[in-house]
């Protein structure tokens, strides 16, 4: 039933029915009660397209996702748990979440520009931020509200929430050093995402602060899946001076690292120390239990939504540096580390 039919059924004008449904104060309370009751009984729903045109808003936020960085493809529900929190946060303002998936290999700016031109969403959440990310200056120039999951060197005062990779790396490397390791390998994210640069910089700085020379051969960049983890550990252990400890940053890469080490006859936690980045279903089954970091994804999603809502309420309000947040991770100690015997 549309509003015209509903008005005819009640013997009221369309304007009166519209004002009653929208809670306008100039409508008699008894009339409002009749309208709402009839709308419920007869299954009336508002024409959202018409409403959006009149208001100039869609009531939706777009989350741009790319297949290359969708960890669900590797058995990790990172984004599904994150979306739950985002949607819960947006619901506080009666705003819906729309997830838009770019094709593998598709230019991210072209994808975003196309969907912005279609007016699909009032605001955007971006993931997989690049070192120089053209999506950021594009949205800033158009004054479209947005928040990124991850930092970037692009644009002006861009609003972002990022995991505290600096603290994660420093905590892991400091643990290795305390165990007597001075040859520490790093399996870093691919160079296509900005957090790879953040992680590598933190790795170098932590070693230098401990007066340990940085051997660039101990840094392996690649994807975050099992294959990448296996290839990285193979390359590391083929060095003339292989590492005695490895920090693994990929989502499911620790599974590949464990597999690669065992193929070489090495046991994590006995022959070599391993620390992973984020605990997830694939790493929870590893034996020995992996030392890694825990993250409440729903809370992170809520944080993203609540960082965006002030700009949704007032799109003209400029983003400020106050919207920059480093999100903490909590260390969870397993049995994958070994103290080195120092002569």
């Amino acid at each position: 039933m549309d509003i015209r039919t509903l008005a005819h059924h009640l013997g009221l004008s369309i304007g009166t029915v519209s004002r009653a449904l929208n809670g306008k104060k100039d409508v008699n309370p008894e009339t409002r009660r009749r309208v709402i009751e009839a709308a419920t009984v007869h299954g009336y729903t508002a024409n959202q397209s018409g409403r959006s045109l009149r208001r100039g808003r869609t009531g939706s936020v777009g989350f741009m996702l790319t297949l290359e960085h969708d960890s669900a493809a590797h058995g990790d529900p990172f984004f599904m748990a994150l979306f739950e929190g985002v949607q819960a946060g947006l619901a506080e303002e009666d705003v819906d979440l729309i997830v838009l998936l770019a094709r593998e290999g598709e230019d991210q700016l072209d994808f975003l520009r196309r969907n912005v031109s279609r007016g699909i969403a009032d605001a955007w959440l971006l993931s997989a931020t690049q070192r120089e990310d053209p999506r950021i200056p594009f949205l800033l120039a158009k004054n479209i509200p947005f928040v990124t999951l991850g930092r970037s060197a692009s644009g002006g005062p861009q609003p972002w929430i990022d995991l505290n990779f600096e603290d994660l790396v420093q905590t892991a490397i400091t643990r290795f050093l305390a165990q007597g390791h001075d040859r520490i390998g790093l399996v870093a994210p691919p160079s296509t995402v900005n957090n790879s640069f953040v992680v590598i910089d933190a790795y170098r700085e932590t070693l230098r602060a401990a007066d340990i020379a940085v051997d660039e051969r101990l840094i392996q960049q690649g994807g975050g899946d099992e294959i990448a983890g296996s290839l990285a550990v193979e390359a590391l252990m083929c060095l003339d001076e292989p590492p005695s400890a490895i920090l693994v940053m990929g989502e499911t890469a620790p599974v590949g690292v464990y597999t690669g080490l065992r193929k070489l006859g090495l046991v994590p936690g006995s022959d070599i120390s391993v620390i992973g980045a984020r605990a997830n279903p694939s790493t929870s089954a590893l034996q020995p239990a992996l030392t890694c970091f825990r993250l409440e994804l729903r809370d992170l999603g809520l944080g993203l939504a609540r960082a965006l809502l002030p700009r949704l309420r007032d799109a003209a309000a400029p983003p400020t540096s106050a919207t920059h947040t480093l999100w903490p991770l909590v260390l969870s100690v397993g049995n994958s580390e070994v103290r080195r015997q120092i002569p």
Side-chain angles (χ1 to χ4, degrees):
M1 179 177 282
D2 61 20
I3 194 168
R4 186 181 300 277
T5 308
L6 181 62
H8 178 75
H9 170 76
L10 290 166
L12 299 171
S13 70
I14 293 174
T16 298
V17 172
S18 176
R19 292 196 304 276
L21 290 170
N22 286 287
K24 300 298 183 181
K25 294 181 179 179
D26 62 346
V27 179
N28 181 281
E30 177 59 23
T31 301
R32 181 182 294 109
R33 184 195 63 77
R34 283 182 58 218
V35 170
I36 293 174
E37 183 178 281
T40 302
V41 169
H42 295 284
Y44 165 79
T45 56
N47 184 323
Q48 294 301 327
S49 296
R51 278 186 155 188
S52 296
L53 286 172
R54 289 192 298 274
R55 296 177 180 179
R57 299 188 66 179
T58 67
S60 300
V61 167
F63 194 115
M64 181 178 170
L65 190 64
T66 60
L67 280 172
E68 289 95 326
H69 303 103
D70 181 7
S71 55
H74 308 302
D76 177 22
F78 178 95
F79 282 106
M80 292 307 296
L82 185 79
F83 293 155
E84 181 186 355
V86 172
Q87 183 65 85
L90 295 178
E92 297 173 5
E93 295 287 332
D94 199 25
V95 175
D96 291 318
L97 175 66
I98 298 174
V99 178
L100 294 132
L101 183 64
R103 295 186 299 273
E104 188 169 0
E106 183 173 10
D107 182 89
Q108 293 190 1
L109 179 59
D110 287 346
F111 178 86
L112 180 61
R113 185 186 287 121
R114 183 171 68 251
N115 284 287
V116 165
S117 69
R118 290 171 176 168
I120 288 174
D122 301 322
W124 289 86
L125 293 167
L126 307 179
S127 62
T129 49
Q130 302 168 356
R131 187 70 163 181
E132 299 292 336
D133 198 318
R135 298 174 298 173
I136 291 171
F138 169 74
L139 292 175
L140 284 171
K142 289 187 170 294
N143 200 31
I144 296 174
F146 74 101
V147 173
T148 63
L149 177 59
R151 287 161 274 177
S152 172
S154 296
Q158 64 208 48
W160 53 257
I161 294 179
D162 200 5
L163 303 185
N164 195 339
F165 291 111
E166 292 92 337
D167 183 69
L168 183 157
V169 172
Q170 184 179 40
T171 298
I173 300 301
T174 301
R175 286 182 66 85
F176 285 148
L177 294 173
Q179 294 161 5
H181 302 282
D182 56 9
R183 294 284 294 171
I184 300 171
L186 172 65
V187 180
S191 59
T192 52
V193 290
N194 186 62
N195 65 28
S196 181
F197 296 90
V198 174
V199 165
I200 292 173
D201 286 347
Y203 168 84
R204 291 172 177 147
E205 289 173 10
T206 306
L207 288 178
R208 287 169 183 152
D211 292 325
I212 303 291
V214 177
D215 184 346
E216 297 294 331
R217 297 176 302 167
L218 290 172
I219 301 173
Q220 291 289 319
Q221 283 180 286
D225 60 8
E226 296 179 32
I227 294 174
S230 181
L231 292 174
V233 79
E234 180 180 344
L236 287 171
M237 302 315 293
C238 284
L239 295 173
D240 51 356
E241 292 184 75
S244 59
I246 305 174
L247 171 59
V248 188
M249 294 302 300
E251 293 292 330
T252 57
V255 178
V257 168
Y258 268 47
T259 301
L261 288 172
R262 288 199 162 95
K263 285 181 179 178
L264 296 170
L266 299 171
V267 179
S270 296
D271 301 313
I272 188 169
S273 277
V274 180
I275 295 179
R278 188 182 66 83
N280 60 69
S282 66
T283 61
S284 65
L286 291 175
Q287 292 296 328
L290 180 68
T291 294
C292 53
F293 296 80
R294 299 198 174 276
L295 170 67
E296 291 297 331
L297 289 169
R298 189 178 188 279
D299 290 347
L300 177 59
L302 277 170
L304 284 168
R306 289 171 179 168
L308 185 60
L309 286 176
R311 292 217 65 213
L312 269 176
R313 299 186 193 107
D314 183 8
T320 67
S321 58
T323 57
H324 294 179
T325 303
L326 285 176
W327 202 268
L329 297 97
V330 179
L331 180 68
S332 177
V333 178
N335 301 313
S336 59
E337 300 166 87
V338 55
R339 181 171 291 277
R340 191 180 183 195
Q341 297 297 323
I342 303 175

